[in-house]
């Protein structure tokens, strides 16, 4: 049997819409030109509209993690203590980056599947006045947990600590009000709800964070924000940007603006509810206690090998879901419902999931037919 179906339901990359792909096929232009600068200016300003900020957005050529690293190296000095909320794989990444640059991360472990209690952050900040930053995900993609950034922002705003939010998957699906919620550094990536191929990372910088920039002494070169700040005055970047992706971003922003950001949020939330209701109807337990509009996760029945399930669906049935990462390997499946992912794709994907689960269960009980 040959499968022509190809449904991508992973929490990044997600399908790139046809109009965006058409832009990616266009002839190359040079970036040190008025033509490119005009486009870069326009997409930078319009992207601020998606971040809900009046502050500038900086664009890096790199995957989302490059902007996580930029948030570390540009605003800290060796030995700085920072608070990292670790409720999954991506929280852990903040800790790893911090260690790589000789920062001292205080790790606030949160049980997988649960959101951090804002009061835990308040207490940590009260206990240790030296904490320079609080790092947290908007959506912790590995567990499908949505964090209460608004409540956390009310706490960090009363301190000297910066609030650093990894919104790589969440931006453009889960609501993030960067300015109103007093987020100092918001991080996004191109291949999630922004509907582009991977390769661009974005960082918004608040005035409170900007004050830290000059005094930060960690080593940096490619991600040195001071270079980007200088270049952006002429709508330029210090190094060759991923020109094609920036041009494609213009089209992706057209799609978001045509729908309206509020409608994008409500559609993603609705598709999230739809996905979780369908999964629950299959008898699967929903993993996240704080559901997100970006991605949902369900617990794989104990007798089923979750890794094998994902592999069969991908290789034999043309539906790509994500499995669990780290300690959740083989134990959960994750289905994204952000950006260009449609209800029809979700319906088909979950139907194939049901079918595959039934087949796998049948295989587990080869003798069951004898009992009849
Ligand atoms: C995808 C993702 C990342 C990693 O982004 P890369 O583009 O792979 O570097 C980081 N954080 C979150 C929350 C993500 O969803």
């Amino acid at each position: 049997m040959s499968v022509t179906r190809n449904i991508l339901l992973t929490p990044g990359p997600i399908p790139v819409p046809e109009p965006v792909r058409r832009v990616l096929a266009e002839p190359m232009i040079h970036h040190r030109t008025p033509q490119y600068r005009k486009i870069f200016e326009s997409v930078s300003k319009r992207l601020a509209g998606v971040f809900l900020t009046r502050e500038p957005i900086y664009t890096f050529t790199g995957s989302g993690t490059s902007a996580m690293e930029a948030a570390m190296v540009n605003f800290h000095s060796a030995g700085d203590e920072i608070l990292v909320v670790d409720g999954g794989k991506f929280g852990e990444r903040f800790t790893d980056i911090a260690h790589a640059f000789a920062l001292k991360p205080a790790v606030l472990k949160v049980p997988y599947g649960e959101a951090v209690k804002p009061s835990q952050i308040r207490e940590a900040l009260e206990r240790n006045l030296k904490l320079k930053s609080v790092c947290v995900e908007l959506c912790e993609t590995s567990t499908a947990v949505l964090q209460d950034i608004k409540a956390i922002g009310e706490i960090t705003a009363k301190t000297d600590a910066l609030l650093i939010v990894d919104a790589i998957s969440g931006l453009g699906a889960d609501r993030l009000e960067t300015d109103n919620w007093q987020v100092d550094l918001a991080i996004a990536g191109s291949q999630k709800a922004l509907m582009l191929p991977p390769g661009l990372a974005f960082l918004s910088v608040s005035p409170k964070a900007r004050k830290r920039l000059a005094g930060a002494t960690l080593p940096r070169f490619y991600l040195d924000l001071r270079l980007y700040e200088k270049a952006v005055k002429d709508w330029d970047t210090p190094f060759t940007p991923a020109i094609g992706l920036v041009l494609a971003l213009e089209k992706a922003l057209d799609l978001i603006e045509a729908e309206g950001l509020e409608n994008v949020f409500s559609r993603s939330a609705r598709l999230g509810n739809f996905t979780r209701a369908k999964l629950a109807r299959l008898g699967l337990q929903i993993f996240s206690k704080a559901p997100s509009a970006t991605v949902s996760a369900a617990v794989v029945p104990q007798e089923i090998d979750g890794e094998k399930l994902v592999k069969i669906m991908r290789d034999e049935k043309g539906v790509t879901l994500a499995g669990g990462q780290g300690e959740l390997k083989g134990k959960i499946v994750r289905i994204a419902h952000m950006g260009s992912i449609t209800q029809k794709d979700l319906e088909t994907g979950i139907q194939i999931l049901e079918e595959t689960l039934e087949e796998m269960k049948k295989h587990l009980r080869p003798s069951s037919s004898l009992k009849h």
Side-chain angles (χ1 to χ4, degrees):
M1 181 185 67
S2 76
V3 189
T4 50
R5 191 191 295 120
N6 186 9
I7 299 180
L8 185 58
L9 296 174
T10 55
I14 66 166
V16 177
E18 229 266 336
V20 178
R21 276 186 278 139
R22 253 184 277 137
V23 176
L24 290 165
E26 282 175 15
M28 189 46 57
I29 62 167
H30 199 275
H31 54 296
R32 316 268 190 223
T33 57
Q35 181 193 7
Y36 176 81
R37 285 176 210 266
K38 199 160 150 262
I39 293 168
F40 186 51
E41 174 179 0
S42 156
V43 297
S44 299
K45 289 177 174 166
R46 291 165 71 194
L47 199 53
V50 180
F51 276 72
L52 295 169
T53 182
R54 309 169 85 100
E55 304 305 325
I57 307 288
Y58 296 93
T59 299
F60 304 100
T61 296
S63 83
T65 305
S66 66
M68 293 175 82
E69 184 165 323
M72 288 291 138
V73 297
N74 286 290
F75 302 94
H76 300 93
S77 301
D80 276 0
E81 295 179 46
I82 63 169
L83 184 69
V84 176
V85 175
D86 176 359
K89 185 85 193 149
F90 294 108
E92 215 174 89
R93 183 163 302 177
F94 269 126
T95 306
D96 292 343
I97 299 171
H99 280 309
F101 288 97
L103 299 179
K104 293 198 182 108
V107 179
L108 208 173
K109 271 269 181 198
V110 181
Y112 282 14
E114 291 177 25
V116 67
K117 291 188 198 74
S119 61
Q120 292 177 281
I121 292 177
R122 187 181 345 99
E123 284 153 21
L125 287 167
E126 282 168 0
R127 253 196 323 269
N128 183 355
L129 298 175
K130 287 194 292 191
L131 289 170
K132 294 277 191 201
S133 301
V134 173
C135 303
V136 62
E137 272 59 41
L138 171 63
C139 169
E140 171 51 80
T141 318
S142 66
T143 59
V145 163
L146 178 69
Q147 303 287 6
D148 189 351
I149 302 301
K150 183 172 187 238
I152 298 170
E154 283 167 15
I155 293 162
T156 51
K158 293 193 190 101
T159 72
D160 290 333
L162 300 182
L163 175 55
I164 304 177
V165 175
D166 167 5
I168 292 176
S169 64
L171 188 98
D174 280 306
R175 174 183 297 276
L176 176 70
E177 299 188 21
T178 300
D179 284 358
N180 288 343
W181 296 357
Q182 311 176 84
V183 175
D184 294 301
L185 298 165
I187 300 162
S190 55
Q191 80 276 26
K192 311 268 169 117
L194 293 175
M195 304 181 285
L196 296 174
L200 293 179
F202 310 102
L203 183 70
S204 74
V205 179
S206 75
K208 179 176 167 186
R210 188 171 301 282
K211 287 197 199 109
R212 280 259 194 97
L213 190 54
T217 61
L218 283 186
R220 59 230 202 239
F221 181 74
Y222 185 69
L223 298 174
D224 190 340
L225 206 62
R226 293 167 295 190
L227 304 177
Y228 291 79
E229 253 194 331
K230 206 163 130 207
V232 86
K233 290 194 176 93
D234 299 316
W235 298 106
D236 202 349
T237 41
F239 313 108
T240 309
I243 299 167
L245 295 180
V246 171
L247 304 186
L249 176 56
E250 196 175 32
K251 182 57 74 180
L253 288 166
D254 284 348
L255 299 178
I256 290 171
E257 287 169 7
E259 186 176 357
L261 188 60
E262 287 302 321
N263 294 329
V264 170
F265 289 150
S266 52
R267 167 178 50 79
S268 309
R270 182 176 57 73
L271 289 179
N273 290 333
F274 172 81
T275 300
R276 289 184 296 273
K278 283 257 178 194
L279 291 169
R281 225 169 292 145
L282 300 189
L284 301 178
Q285 186 200 328
I286 303 304
F287 185 70
S288 167
K289 297 195 177 78
S292 148
T294 302
V295 59
S296 292
V299 179
V300 174
Q302 200 145 35
E303 68 274 24
I304 300 286
D305 175 348
E307 277 190 272
K308 199 164 157 199
L309 170 69
V310 169
K311 197 166 171 319
I312 293 172
M313 287 185 66
R314 184 193 63 209
D315 297 345
E316 295 175 23
K317 296 165 189 279
V319 174
T320 308
L321 311 181
Q325 298 165 288
E327 65 189 59
L328 293 173
K329 213 177 173 99
K331 296 192 177 135
I332 59 168
V333 286
R334 294 174 298 144
I335 300 178
H337 28 73
M338 63 177 121
S340 47
I341 293 167
T342 63
Q343 178 162 331
K344 192 161 165 290
D345 288 344
L346 290 165
E347 269 167 10
T348 311
I350 295 168
Q351 188 196 321
I352 299 294
L353 172 64
E354 178 175 22
E355 211 180 277
T356 312
L357 278 171
E358 274 170 20
E359 286 165 13
M360 287 177 81
K361 279 181 188 165
K362 235 182 262 163
H363 270 292
L364 284 173
R365 291 188 292 268
S367 57
S368 61
S369 56
L370 300 176
K371 287 178 195 149
H372 293 288

